[in-house]
Amino acid sequence: MNFSIRGQQIEVTEALRDYVDKKLSRLDKYFDAPPTSDGTVTLSVVRGLHAVEVTIPLTGVVLRAEDRSDDMYASIDAVVDKLERQIRKHKTKINRKLRQKGVKNVLFAENANGGSVAVDESDEELEVVRTKRFTLKPMDVEEAILQMNMIGHNFFVFSNIDTREVNVVYKRNDGKYGLIEQG
């Protein structure tokens, strides 16, 4: 797998580049054939912390991990460990899904009820600090939950393959999952 390694507020030395390549090559053992997609690695220093962010787009899933610590090499090690855990977890879920193929699992006993959130605008001005654009891939609820867990977020927006509507899955405080549908 090829990686594009870049630095933000840091010069990417040959030693850092070699270390990143060596550590990320550990991930090759998890794939039957080397992935054809190119991953990105961003090394940066923010407020004295050395941050590493790795994104690996694969067919049907995006692996992403980041870590911050006082040492760049320690951050690289931690990110690779996180990616290995994600890959193992993803493979386990895929294998389980294949074994259960043909059996339709019901993830939610009932529809999630939408709620409203009150925001007190008098205390602070609402400001959008980051905007992301992405294409909504049609998928079922179970695959959306898998994608959400793989990228380490607590919610995931997707196009429901059954209803053809935009839905959101989210992780609840009790560790279970919720689904937001259009009403």
Side-chain angles (χ1 to χ4, degrees):
M1 181 182 310
N2 295 324
F3 288 97
S4 168
I5 303 170
R6 65 185 184 95
Q8 291 180 330
Q9 290 112 17
I10 186 174
E11 179 186 343
V12 180
T13 64
E14 200 58 38
L16 268 176
R17 188 176 303 279
D18 290 343
Y19 192 77
V20 169
D21 284 336
K22 177 184 169 197
K23 288 297 182 173
L24 289 174
S25 69
R26 286 181 16 197
L27 302 179
D28 290 340
K29 67 183 177 188
Y30 293 102
F31 302 103
D32 295 331
T36 56
S37 59
D38 291 340
T40 59
V41 179
T42 305
L43 309 174
S44 61
V45 178
V46 180
R47 294 187 206 116
L49 289 177
H50 298 268
V52 177
E53 180 179 322
V54 178
T55 304
I56 305 171
L58 300 173
T59 306
V61 68
V62 175
L63 300 175
R64 184 186 170 283
E66 69 178 271
D67 191 75
R68 291 180 173 86
S69 71
D70 294 332
D71 179 46
M72 184 61 75
Y73 293 95
S75 294
I76 294 167
D77 291 343
V79 162
V80 172
D81 290 343
K82 288 178 182 180
L83 287 169
E84 282 186 309
R85 281 193 301 274
Q86 284 183 17
I87 292 169
R88 284 194 302 268
K89 187 174 182 180
H90 178 63
K91 281 194 156 198
T92 301
K93 287 186 178 187
I94 294 295
N95 288 337
R96 184 180 309 128
K97 190 173 182 179
L98 289 174
R99 284 193 304 268
Q100 295 174 346
K101 194 164 178 90
V103 178
K104 190 165 186 163
N105 293 336
V106 178
L107 292 179
F108 306 103
E110 55 189 11
N111 290 339
N113 295 326
S116 61
V117 177
V119 177
D120 186 2
E121 295 181 24
S122 62
D123 289 355
E124 67 183 82
E125 185 175 303
L126 299 176
E127 180 182 355
V128 175
V129 294
R130 186 172 183 184
T131 301
K132 287 187 177 183
R133 294 184 187 273
F134 58 96
T135 305
L136 296 179
K137 177 186 167 207
M139 60 182 71
D140 60 20
V141 175
E142 186 174 339
E143 184 177 352
I145 291 171
L146 179 66
Q147 288 282 337
M148 175 184 66
N149 288 333
M150 292 298 296
I151 61 175
H153 289 183
N154 55 3
F155 71 94
F156 188 80
V157 180
F158 69 103
S159 174
N160 192 317
I161 200 164
D162 297 326
T163 63
R164 300 181 193 261
E165 293 180 349
V166 175
N167 289 176
V168 177
V169 290
Y170 62 95
K171 190 159 192 161
R172 297 167 35 101
N173 289 337
D174 62 1
K176 296 180 182 176
Y177 299 98
L179 174 66
I180 300 173
E181 297 177 315
Q182 291 177 326

